[in-house]
Amino acid sequence: MKIQDIMSTKVESILPTATLRRAAEIMSNLEIGSLPIISDEGELLGIITDRDISCFAIAMGHDPKSTEVQKIMTKEVFTCRENEDVNDAATLMEDKHIRRLTVMNQSNSVVGFLSVDDLAHCSHDLAGAVLEAATPMH
């Protein structure tokens, strides 16, 4: 099965100079948990998640009204291609201990996300392995 068959295509992006508050508003309105950070030229610069905002930025005292997303975004974004096999993406997610991948097309544009929830729709085993690898040990 290909990634394009199960990925989420509901993608909204944000500029690096947008505020944390704006990012949180977009995520809340669209009921999504992450936003790719895209330059004016369309280049993927990073990613910000709802967890980044709540657990890191706010907990560290960053003002969500004035702090730009580029200050706390994750710059190392793991990606996959829409025409790749789902098993390969799941292996990458396990290896990197992450719950989602940004999906790119052949033109290097963001076209979607592949999450552990998406994996669960096609394979409970794949989703379980990714969740086990991505869950922090306490």
Side-chain angles (χ1 to χ4, degrees), residues 13-27 35 37 48 53 57-58 62-72:
S13 61
I14 196 164
L15 292 170
T17 55
T19 64
L20 297 179
R21 181 179 180 153
R22 181 66 186 134
E25 288 171 347
I26 292 169
M27 286 187 231
L35 289 169
I37 314 300
I48 190 163
I53 294 169
I58 303 303
H62 293 286
D63 180 0
K65 294 178 190 171
S66 61
T67 303
E68 295 179 348
V69 295
Q70 64 189 343
K71 182 163 181 139
I72 67 158

Side-chain angles (χ1 to χ4, degrees), residues 3-135:
I3 291 167
Q4 61 198 9
D5 298 328
I6 66 166
M7 70 183 197
S8 300
T9 56
K10 189 172 166 181
V11 178
E12 180 76 27
S13 61
I14 196 164
L15 292 170
T17 55
T19 64
L20 297 179
R21 181 179 180 153
R22 181 66 186 134
E25 288 171 347
I26 292 169
M27 286 187 231
S28 178
N29 290 341
L30 297 177
E31 298 180 357
I32 56 176
S34 62
L35 289 169
I37 314 300
I38 307 290
S39 72
D40 287 328
E41 297 77 32
E43 177 188 359
L44 178 62
L45 302 174
I47 190 168
I48 190 163
T49 66
D50 50 4
R51 183 170 171 82
D52 292 333
I53 294 169
S54 63
C55 293
F56 302 117
I58 303 303
M60 297 168 109
H62 293 286
D63 180 0
K65 294 178 190 171
S66 61
T67 303
E68 295 179 348
V69 295
Q70 64 189 343
K71 182 163 181 139
I72 67 158
M73 71 182 183
T74 300
K75 293 178 183 171
E76 184 178 16
V77 181
F78 296 104
T79 64
C80 58
R81 298 275 179 205
E82 62 187 342
N83 61 351
E84 289 178 19
D85 189 85
V86 169
N87 292 301
D88 295 335
T91 299
L92 177 61
M93 292 166 82
E94 280 182 70
D95 291 347
K96 300 300 181 184
H97 308 284
I98 56 175
R99 296 174 185 240
R100 67 177 62 91
L101 290 170
T102 304
V103 182
M104 311 291 282
N105 65 14
Q106 296 302 331
S107 304
N108 282 331
S109 296
V110 176
V111 293
F113 283 103
L114 180 69
S115 71
V116 69
D117 292 342
D118 298 325
L119 289 176
H121 287 99
C122 74
S123 171
H124 292 289
D125 291 338
L126 283 178
V130 170
L131 269 177
E132 186 175 314
T135 302

